[in-house]
Amino acid sequence: AQSAQIRIAHDNNPDPYDNPAHACAAVLKNIIETDSNGDVAVEIYPNASIGTATEAVQMVRDGIIEISLSSTGAMAPYYPNIDVLNLPFAFADNGATYEVFDGKFGAALAADMEATLGDVKILGFPDTGGFFAVTNSVHEIATLDDFKDVRVRTMTVPSHQAIMNALGAEAYPLAWGEVYSALQTGVIEGQMNPIPIISFSNFQEVQGFMTLTNHLFSPYTLVMNKDVYDSLSDENKNIVQYATQACVSASRGLSRIIEASDRGIAGLSKGMKITALSPEDRVKMREVTQAAFDKHVDENLSEEGQALVALFKEEVAKANASVFMSGE
Amino acid sequence: MREFAGLASHRLNQVVEAVVVLLMALLVLDVWVGVMDRYMFRWQLPWPEIMARYLMIWMALLAISCGIARREHIGLSIVIDRLPVVLRRGALVLCDVLAIGLFLYVLYYGIGFAMGGATRRAMIFGMSMAPAFAAVPAAAALCALQLGLCMVRDGGSQSIIDQGGEV
Amino acid sequence: MLVGAIFLVLLLIGMPIGFTIGLAGLAGLVSMGGERFLATGVSKLFAGLDSFPFLAMPFFILAGEIMNHIGITQQLMRFAHVLVGHFRGGLAHANMIASVFFAGLTGAATADAAAFGKTLVPAMVAQGYRRDYACAVTAAGSIIGPTIPPSGLMVVYGSLLGVSIGGLFAAGILPGLFICAVCMGIIALGAKRNKLPDPEPRAPLKVVAKTFAKSFAALLMPVIILGGILGGVVTPTEAASVAVAYAFFLGVVVYRNLGARDLYAMLLSTARITGVIFVIIAFASMLGWWMSFERVPQAIAQAVFAISENKWVIILLIVAVLLLVGMVMDITAILIILAPVLVPLATAIGLEPIHSGIIFVLALNISLMTPPVGACLFVLSSVTGERLEAIAMKLWPFLIAEIGVLLLFAYWDGLALLVPRLLGFL
Ligand code: NA
Ligand code: NA
């Protein structure tokens, strides 16, 4: 007989090869069920079928479900300090994001989240599909000046709007459901998202240009109900921990694979001109946006939040400088 | 008793309707500001969209009790109109009692829901969600009260607006 | 099963549909066992309404109220009359044409039915039409209103399912015009049998021009709304608010017959209609949450696919369910309850979300005039004093023709998606 039931909610299609969210959830389910020999049953609710990502966090806290895969946007109403992660143009490469979120900063972030919310256990930070890219229908964006007056859709996240405005673009918050037709009809001219989302939404049909700005990295937070986690046997806790590790790896792996496949840059390049930034242009963009971000942080985040920003910058700098398997 | 209930229902509803009209007017103005901002001024105001949603929810939820006072909530009358008068009145009074129960449920848990909103941040002005969430228990309280008054007023003799509502 | 039984019993004893859904949902939550489910259920009332696109609904209602009040409707009828009055059964044809004009102003069939029932039906009777026939023509034409955009039903569908409302609007144009055409065909075919009055003399071009000039301000409205949305200038919600601003401008500045008192009444009536609809949406999201949690839609889908996995059969089943339920229930409520269950079925057999949307909207609009529960029939019957059964007897040829249009668009996706494709929504 089983001793615990875990229900996992996310808002993507129930196909592990389609998106990092279900890849992660499927890996969790598989490892937890088999390694506990059926002692813990896992059920997945995909496609936001029982509520939006924001509601899912509340449901974890209320004990309605046990785990949710929550975007930073979904966490923000409960944990304003998540804004720390919106430090623009921070990471040099994907490997640096792994180091930062698996390391000292990830642990500090999880601890602050657990302390702030009080009723959750943070398991880890799976990949949502990698760095943000900017697409638009006006002209190629290669330099800072090219952003001028391009109307770019963002989520209703103040720091995202501040970043886009700092680049010289015009930030334009819009509900997700209207984005495709708004791009198509020209109500808005551009948008920013990770590459899997851009290709999944077929934005190459309505956008002519994509710039690999890599200006944001926004992981999921794997949130679990604290009481349920605490009630697990030590053995089952251990299983959940290493299942999470595998889930995070799977999300990263699938994200890199999508980027490299026809659903990534290869496929998107058939519909859009793709531009990578020169190091010099990237530095210019980093300067203007980080200044705007620092101002935003000073005005909006608590002391703990500001301390987290400092730690984040420190750890990112270390990770950017580190070399894979150098023994550090 | 019936007259008093009818009068109380009417007075209460007049006040609620005035509030609802005010909210509706604010809603229109708010969305106009949003549109003008987007196409003319380009201030990139963050609040019109969010304000519009919360004004709409407050307006629509409060308006439920106006529909109750005027018995405008649509239902099915083909069966009930063929019942003997006593049964018909009994059924409609039962409906009112059950609906009061429904709104008392919403009121009871709605208070907890609204208080829980105090720790959730809305994306504007550093506001919490509590003022927006409070629409749920407030509207439920009004609906339960209005249903009680109308039940006494009508005693099951009301006619049903038959499925007339359509957008 | 228990939840379904509670739902049916409450509905039959006269419980308002919104509260019926709420009590059925509450029963579902109780059956889940545990107080925390009851608490989460309440949060769903808020979450279900917390959607910006929903705003288009009260705004389109308000714009329609103002347009009706300032006399735009009558203006459009006069214009339609000078265009087609010289055909046999000219007023009947004018009724259809006016419905098309009117469709660009309003999203509601009942508004059309009420306005035309008050004005055109008496005019037709005075000219020698039978009243039941005049009512039937008006009922048949009234569903053009919510088919050609703007359409409240499309706003609800698009908001609930995250489908582009602009795309749905685009998809509504062609079926709306088709319905007008087949109904005019039915009028012409039945002219002799229904003893329609002889044609009037053709209106001189000068009169046509003059009437056009007078209706110009009104005819501009659909151009603003549709042009704005389909041309990509504004989102549907913004277009709705622009429509209100335009109607307000016409009433205050051009026609000068819109006072503060009228405005109060219209704001209130808009709010009340919105409340009646939104209470259904709110409680349906509570019931829907219970259904998702218990995987009810998946169970229903399995049951349906057990009957057949053939695309043509499934489409027919969906249409039949909508028309049948539409005979006895309010269409907004049907949309809100059944869309989350039936749309995944349609998606599973490969229908575009916009295509499923237009099937839904057409079927539900048609059921506005099917007895025993048809909002347009009720409105016409109460406005004109004609018996419901008598209208229904004259209505069936139109009904069959409109169901034909529905099936055409349901099975020929190339036609159904032609306009959305041309305008780039796909
Ligand atoms: Na319309
Ligand atoms: Na019907």
Side-chain angles (χ1 to χ4, degrees):
Chain A
Q2 70 193 50
S3 73
Q5 190 192 11
I6 292 180
R7 285 162 292 200
I8 307 175
H10 67 76
D11 46 11
N12 285 286
N13 287 329
D15 173 356
Y17 297 109
D18 179 81
N19 58 79
H22 200 80
C24 173
V27 166
L28 270 180
K29 176 179 164 75
N30 179 49
I31 295 179
I32 293 174
E33 283 187 341
T34 50
D35 287 17
S36 73
N37 200 13
D39 186 37
V40 183
V42 179
E43 191 162 10
I44 303 174
Y45 288 92
N47 278 334
S49 59
I50 53 167
T52 62
T54 309
E55 290 178 75
V57 178
Q58 188 68 45
M59 286 182 208
V60 169
R61 303 185 68 181
D62 293 343
I64 301 285
I65 57 175
E66 286 69 36
I67 290 181
S68 81
L69 258 168
S70 314
S71 66
T72 52
M75 290 301 291
Y78 311 93
Y79 180 67
N81 282 349
I82 194 111
D83 211 8
V84 168
L85 304 186
N86 291 320
L87 176 71
F89 296 95
F91 293 101
D93 59 279
N94 276 306
T97 68
Y98 306 167
E99 271 187 44
V100 167
F101 285 100
D102 294 346
K104 195 168 150 192
F105 174 77
L109 181 66
D112 191 46
M113 278 180 177
E114 286 169 3
T116 307
L117 273 71
D119 43 17
V120 297
K121 162 82 184 164
I122 304 300
L123 298 174
F125 300 96
D127 208 308
T128 51
F131 290 120
F132 275 54
V134 178
T135 67
N136 86 98
S137 55
V138 188
H139 53 232
E140 181 181 6
I141 294 178
T143 68
L144 183 56
D145 291 340
D146 295 334
F147 275 104
K148 196 161 170 36
D149 294 333
V150 178
R151 268 194 286 176
V152 178
R153 182 265 174 183
T154 68
M155 286 185 274
T156 316
V157 175
S159 56
H160 286 192
Q161 289 167 248
I163 290 166
M164 263 303 138
N165 289 331
L167 287 168
E170 195 180 328
Y172 194 101
L174 189 69
W176 176 245
E178 294 294 339
V179 174
Y180 183 91
S181 63
L183 287 173
Q184 200 279 325
T185 55
V187 172
I188 49 168
E189 295 159 340
Q191 61 84 42
M192 56 187 214
N193 261 305
I195 283 170
I197 293 177
I198 292 172
S199 78
F200 174 75
S201 316
N202 291 319
F203 286 154
Q204 76 279 6
E205 296 170 1
V206 292
Q207 299 274 271
F209 308 92
M210 178 163 88
T211 307
L212 305 174
T213 48
N214 295 0
H215 64 295
L216 286 172
F217 178 82
S218 200
Y220 286 119
T221 305
L222 197 59
V223 190
M224 183 165 184
N225 179 285
K226 185 175 188 298
D227 291 341
V228 173
Y229 180 81
D230 289 344
S231 73
L232 293 177
S233 67
D234 285 346
E235 201 187 331
N236 285 340
K237 274 188 190 131
N238 188 35
I239 293 173
V240 168
Q241 291 288 0
Y242 67 66
T244 298
Q245 205 174 12
C247 135
V248 171
S249 300
S251 71
R252 288 170 180 167
L254 188 68
S255 297
R256 302 295 84 76
I257 291 169
I258 292 175
E259 284 165 359
S261 76
D262 247 10
R263 286 171 54 213
I265 293 173
L268 291 174
S269 66
K270 288 169 197 154
M272 289 187 287
K273 177 164 177 20
I274 297 183
T275 308
L277 294 180
S278 74
E280 299 77 40
D281 287 313
R282 202 160 186 278
V283 167
K284 274 188 210 156
M285 292 176 195
R286 180 188 350 232
E287 277 168 6
V288 294
T289 54
Q290 287 205 354
F293 181 77
D294 286 341
K295 184 162 169 282
H296 169 83
V297 166
D298 282 344
E299 287 165 3
N300 293 287
L301 287 195
S302 64
E303 247 170 67
E304 293 84 26
Q306 307 208 10
L308 266 177
V309 173
L311 178 65
F312 189 47
K313 285 183 174 171
E314 198 180 301
E315 290 294 302
V316 166
K318 257 192 247 167
N320 284 345
S322 79
V323 178
F324 182 57
M325 293 191 82
S326 65
E328 287 292 325
Chain B
M1 186 66 186
R2 300 186 66 157
E3 261 176 46
F4 171 77
L7 189 67
S9 156
H10 180 67
R11 282 284 143 78
L12 173 65
N13 190 42
Q14 273 184 323
V15 176
V16 177
E17 288 189 347
V19 174
V20 161
V21 167
L22 178 69
L23 290 171
M24 186 68 210
L26 287 175
L27 179 59
V28 171
L29 293 176
D30 174 274
V31 176
W32 281 352
V33 169
V35 171
M36 288 197 293
D37 175 31
R38 204 163 265 193
Y39 294 97
M40 291 160 64
F41 303 124
R42 304 211 164 186
W43 294 317
Q44 298 172 267
L45 300 173
W47 52 267
E49 196 229 300
I50 297 170
M51 277 297 282
R53 275 188 283 141
Y54 300 155
L55 280 171
M56 171 182 79
I57 291 173
W58 263 99
M59 179 272 290
L61 288 178
L62 289 186
I64 298 172
S65 78
C66 305
I68 290 172
R70 296 171 182 244
R71 295 285 186 193
E72 283 179 333
H73 290 282
I74 47 181
L76 199 60
S77 67
I78 29 174
V79 174
I80 196 132
D81 282 349
R82 284 163 179 74
L83 294 179
V85 176
V86 183
L87 268 180
R88 184 180 193 281
R89 292 184 64 164
L92 288 179
V93 170
L94 177 66
C95 283
D96 281 344
V97 172
L98 288 173
I100 291 173
L102 175 66
F103 283 108
L104 288 178
Y105 149 70
V106 176
L107 172 62
Y108 180 78
Y109 288 97
I111 291 171
F113 168 63
M115 296 204 307
T119 59
R120 261 172 75 167
R121 261 201 352 176
M123 281 303 171
I124 42 165
F125 308 139
M127 261 173 58
S128 90
M129 291 296 292
F133 285 174
V136 173
L142 272 175
C143 288
L145 181 58
Q146 195 55 266
L147 269 166
L149 292 172
C150 293
M151 182 176 71
V152 177
R153 180 191 70 190
D154 301 337
S157 62
Q158 71 268 28
S159 61
I160 299 177
I161 304 278
D162 207 341
Q163 307 276 326
E166 169 265 338
V167 271
Chain C
M1 283 311 281
L2 177 72
V3 173
I6 289 175
F7 181 90
L8 272 182
V9 168
L10 289 176
L11 197 62
L12 292 178
I13 64 166
M15 179 72 86
I17 179 89
F19 308 165
T20 301
I21 296 171
L23 284 160
L26 181 54
L29 296 176
V30 170
S31 76
M32 291 165 91
E35 203 185 354
R36 58 189 194 278
F37 294 107
L38 295 176
T40 299
V42 165
S43 77
K44 280 285 158 187
L45 300 179
F46 187 93
L49 297 178
D50 192 10
S51 154
F52 189 68
F54 274 146
L55 262 178
M57 206 182 335
F59 278 82
F60 280 133
I61 295 172
L62 181 58
E65 293 255 335
I66 300 178
M67 286 303 213
N68 260 345
H69 173 85
I70 63 180
I72 290 285
T73 320
Q74 286 81 346
Q75 201 62 254
L76 289 176
M77 287 177 198
R78 250 170 257 144
F79 181 53
H81 189 206
V82 298
L83 284 183
V84 292
H86 54 281
F87 292 117
R88 185 182 168 110
L91 262 181
H93 289 296
N95 192 328
M96 284 297 158
I97 299 285
S99 295
V100 172
F101 292 154
F102 197 65
L105 307 184
T106 160
T110 39
D112 178 300
F116 285 32
K118 269 182 231 159
T119 50
L120 258 181
V121 171
M124 288 170 79
V125 171
Q127 249 202 29
Y129 291 81
R130 285 177 54 142
R131 194 171 62 180
D132 50 2
Y133 182 79
C135 285
V137 170
T138 306
S142 67
I143 72 155
I144 297 173
T147 306
I148 291 182
S151 156
L153 217 50
M154 292 180 189
V155 171
V156 175
Y157 183 93
S159 313
L160 282 180
L161 296 155
V163 179
S164 161
I165 295 168
L168 290 165
F169 278 11
I173 297 172
L174 219 46
L177 296 177
F178 268 59
I179 288 176
C180 175
V182 298
C183 286
M184 286 175 77
I186 299 281
I187 293 170
L189 284 176
K192 234 187 212 138
R193 199 165 44 84
N194 288 300
K195 302 195 183 66
L196 299 191
D198 290 328
E200 301 164 38
R202 179 190 281 271
L205 208 59
K206 221 171 110 188
V207 176
V208 176
K210 215 173 128 197
T211 329
F212 174 73
K214 271 195 176 163
S215 333
F216 183 73
L219 289 169
L220 206 57
M221 175 92 144
V223 177
I224 294 175
I225 298 176
L226 287 188
I229 299 171
L230 304 180
V233 186
V234 290
T235 63
T237 315
E238 291 171 344
S241 81
V242 173
V244 170
Y246 182 65
F248 184 74
F249 168 80
L250 285 184
V252 173
V253 179
V254 180
Y255 293 82
R256 294 171 186 244
N257 54 2
L258 187 63
R261 199 174 288 258
D262 307 318
L263 213 53
Y264 184 93
M266 284 183 251
L267 287 171
L268 179 57
S269 133
T270 303
R272 292 201 332 254
I273 298 173
T274 309
V276 167
I277 298 165
F278 277 30
V279 72
I280 299 176
I281 298 179
F283 280 125
S285 72
M286 187 169 103
L287 176 67
W289 182 68
W290 167 77
M291 291 204 291
S292 310
F293 208 88
E294 300 289 338
R295 299 183 182 271
V296 175
Q298 286 90 331
I300 293 176
Q302 267 175 7
V304 170
F305 282 123
I307 301 173
S308 167
E309 294 197 19
N310 181 295
K311 181 174 174 177
W312 298 78
V313 177
I314 304 247
I315 291 180
L316 199 65
L317 277 173
I318 292 175
V319 168
V321 165
L322 290 172
L323 286 176
L324 281 176
V325 181
M327 288 177 73
V328 293
M329 227 171 98
D330 173 70
I331 61 168
T332 314
I334 300 176
L335 178 69
I336 295 163
I337 296 174
L338 286 186
V341 179
L342 294 184
V343 173
L345 272 179
T347 312
I349 55 168
L351 293 195
E352 285 282 344
I354 292 180
H355 189 192
S356 328
I358 205 66
I359 296 175
F360 256 76
V361 169
L362 276 177
L364 293 178
N365 282 343
I366 289 173
S367 63
L368 282 171
M369 35 176 235
T370 54
V373 177
C376 288
L377 290 182
F378 293 135
V379 170
L380 276 169
S381 165
S382 68
V383 168
T384 65
E386 183 60 68
R387 281 182 318 121
L388 211 142
E389 294 84 352
I391 305 175
M393 285 306 291
K394 290 284 174 193
L395 192 57
W396 65 262
F398 295 102
L399 205 56
I400 290 173
E402 290 179 355
I403 291 176
V405 173
L406 163 62
L407 291 176
L408 178 70
F409 279 85
Y411 282 116
W412 188 1
D413 54 350
L415 186 67
L417 297 174
L418 181 67
V419 180
R421 247 184 215 131
L422 282 177
L423 292 173
F425 286 99
L426 280 174

